[in-house]
Amino acid sequence: MKLDVDVLRYLSKDDFRVLTAVEMGMRNHEIVPWELIHRIASLKHGGTYKVLKNLLKHKLIHHDSSKYDGYRLTYLGYDFLAIKALVNRGVFASVGRRIGAGKESDIFEVATEDGTILAMKLHRLGRISFRAVKSKRDYLRHRQSFNWLYLSRLAALKEFAFMKALGEHGFPVPKAVDCNRHCVVMSLVQGHPLVQVKEMPNPETVFETIVGLVVRLAEHGLIHCDFNEFNIMIDDDEKVTIIDFPQMSHELCNEILHSYLLFNAFPSCRYFERDVECIFKFFQKRFNLSFEEHPTDDDDSPVETDQAGWPSFSSISKTAGFLDKELAASGFTRKEQDDIDKFIEGGNNDAGSDRESEDAGSDGESADPVSEPESIEDEEHISAPTISLDPLQLQEKDKAEKSQS
Ligand code: ADP
Ligand code: MG
């Protein structure tokens, strides 16, 4: 999706007030009746209709008159609300080029006031695995709070909470900077996704590091659930960074413990197995590594293992659930975990296999009550249009920097 942030500059205070009113109306309306938008926005000088027309022109809202005259936010409208809020908080000052399009997200460079480049990830849950999502609709239909924007916001909150907690525990992840709505701001990781790396000097060492990380996560009762060459970044010094956590689960910890107790075998957790297998296969194929039975046989392994070489039960039980407090501190609670886990489970089954693109945001079916902000007055401060959003300027700066180095 194109994110023309230039438009942001030209949006007035009233434009943002009405856009926020649509967002608020969507808490309990799939399509927000225009009278309600008018009432929530209560513009001092009137003119709601004119503002709506302007928002429509910029594709920030979608008009629907099938049942009554109403509007809903588009993903772009939601993007603008998040970006504006983060800019007003001083998290960044401008948006640059798109640096990645994941399965269910778009990633952009953003720059802070002092010129530091960060990464901004906009979650678009349900965009690609849209069919998987559709099949879940029966389950979701009776859930009042279900909607695309809500789930994208949950995915962002979950990723932010995990990134922060993992970073605090010394895992190599991007630094979690801030989060608003469906948007996560994090440090920019140098290097490339592993999938793009054709050659490296020490594949064995990198492989060991990566498997060591999966195992260390599991020791903490955590499974990435989408651990593959797309979600591992590697720089010129072969430093590894794990990205992309919305599927990560610590609920699965129970499954691990269960299988350990029942079968005395740690790896019978299918998600863990799949994570490890992905890495095995990738290194085997791409770098011709050959393997012994499993990766943790190595005596020098930093991981506490049992006789069979798998992470020991005692180390799992010691740390299982240890992140609960940290996750809750970021506002990611049990309820949110439940909501999103149930939804994402469907996507898990075909993780990595379904890479075609479909935009759920424009199919007219998105039903999106969102639970932010608390009151339109809370968001009043976001509407001062004093920001400089200049993607071109940022790209030029980029080029200049590159030619200098
Ligand atoms: P998705 O959840 O949609 O798979 P990812 O988080 O995996 O999205 O990101 C998609 C791509 O964007 C990555 O493969 C990577 O190239 C780029 N990317 C994501 N996060 C960062 C970051 N913090 N720094 C640099 N590039 C990133
Ligand atoms: Mg990814």
Side-chain angles (χ1 to χ4, degrees), residues 125 133 136 139-158 246-251 331-348 369-371:
L125 213 62
V133 176
K136 286 261 149 188
Y139 157 73
L140 293 161
R141 192 166 292 144
H142 65 269
R143 297 177 68 83
Q144 272 190 342
S145 59
F146 164 69
N147 57 80
W148 302 109
L149 298 188
Y150 174 66
L151 287 170
S152 292
R153 185 170 76 78
L154 278 191
L157 180 61
K158 179 172 185 180
Q247 311 208 27
M248 187 169 241
S249 176
H250 65 150
E251 294 297 294
F332 190 68
T333 62
R334 283 274 137 183
K335 182 187 171 299
E336 271 113 21
Q337 175 87 50
D338 283 353
D339 271 10
I340 199 163
D341 278 355
K342 274 172 199 145
F343 170 80
I344 281 183
E345 197 138 274
N348 262 342
V370 262
S371 50

Side-chain angles (χ1 to χ4, degrees), residues 166 171 213-222 224 227 242 248:
L166 289 172
F171 283 91
L213 282 170
V214 194
V215 173
R216 215 174 109 211
L217 285 170
E219 273 196 308
H220 288 77
L222 292 166
H224 188 288
F227 203 76
I242 316 171
M248 187 169 241

Side-chain angles (χ1 to χ4, degrees), residues 102-103 121 226 230-231 243-244:
K103 267 186 296 176
K121 177 167 175 176
D226 198 13
F230 296 93
N231 292 328
I243 57 167
D244 197 7

Side-chain angles (χ1 to χ4, degrees), residues 109-209:
E109 279 182 350
V110 293
T112 63
E113 204 71 63
D114 68 7
T116 311
I117 310 286
L118 301 170
M120 167 179 78
K121 177 167 175 176
L122 296 163
H123 282 261
R124 314 217 184 277
L125 213 62
R127 177 170 69 178
I128 301 294
S129 40
F130 188 44
R131 254 170 273 120
V133 176
K134 259 187 176 160
S135 69
K136 286 261 149 188
R137 282 205 172 185
D138 282 346
Y139 157 73
L140 293 161
R141 192 166 292 144
H142 65 269
R143 297 177 68 83
Q144 272 190 342
S145 59
F146 164 69
N147 57 80
W148 302 109
L149 298 188
Y150 174 66
L151 287 170
S152 292
R153 185 170 76 78
L154 278 191
L157 180 61
K158 179 172 185 180
E159 179 158 46
F160 177 76
F162 270 101
M163 202 185 292
K164 199 158 177 291
L166 289 172
E168 280 163 12
H169 284 268
F171 283 91
V173 295
K175 186 178 179 326
V177 176
D178 206 344
C179 176
N180 183 273
R181 295 177 171 85
H182 61 321
C183 174
V184 180
V185 182
M186 63 187 113
S187 62
L188 186 74
V189 178
Q190 298 306 317
H192 304 278
L194 191 55
V195 66
Q196 291 171 8
V197 180
K198 304 287 179 235
E199 277 173 19
M200 64 169 85
N202 305 297
E204 292 89 355
T205 322
V206 173
F207 171 78
E208 272 168 32
T209 308

Side-chain angles (χ1 to χ4, degrees), residues 37-88:
I37 300 170
H38 178 70
R39 242 191 1 254
I40 300 176
S42 46
L43 299 182
K44 279 198 191 88
H45 308 292
T48 313
Y49 185 69
K50 205 171 136 216
V51 173
L52 283 169
K53 247 177 79 180
N54 189 38
L55 297 176
L56 204 56
K57 190 179 92 191
H58 292 300
K59 298 193 166 62
L60 304 179
I61 53 174
H62 175 84
H63 184 215
D64 187 316
S65 56
S66 52
K67 290 190 193 120
Y68 46 80
D69 202 17
Y71 298 84
R72 65 167 171 79
L73 275 186
T74 60
Y75 258 124
L76 191 62
Y78 204 40
D79 292 349
F80 274 33
L81 285 171
I83 290 172
K84 188 85 164 133
L86 287 162
V87 166
N88 279 23

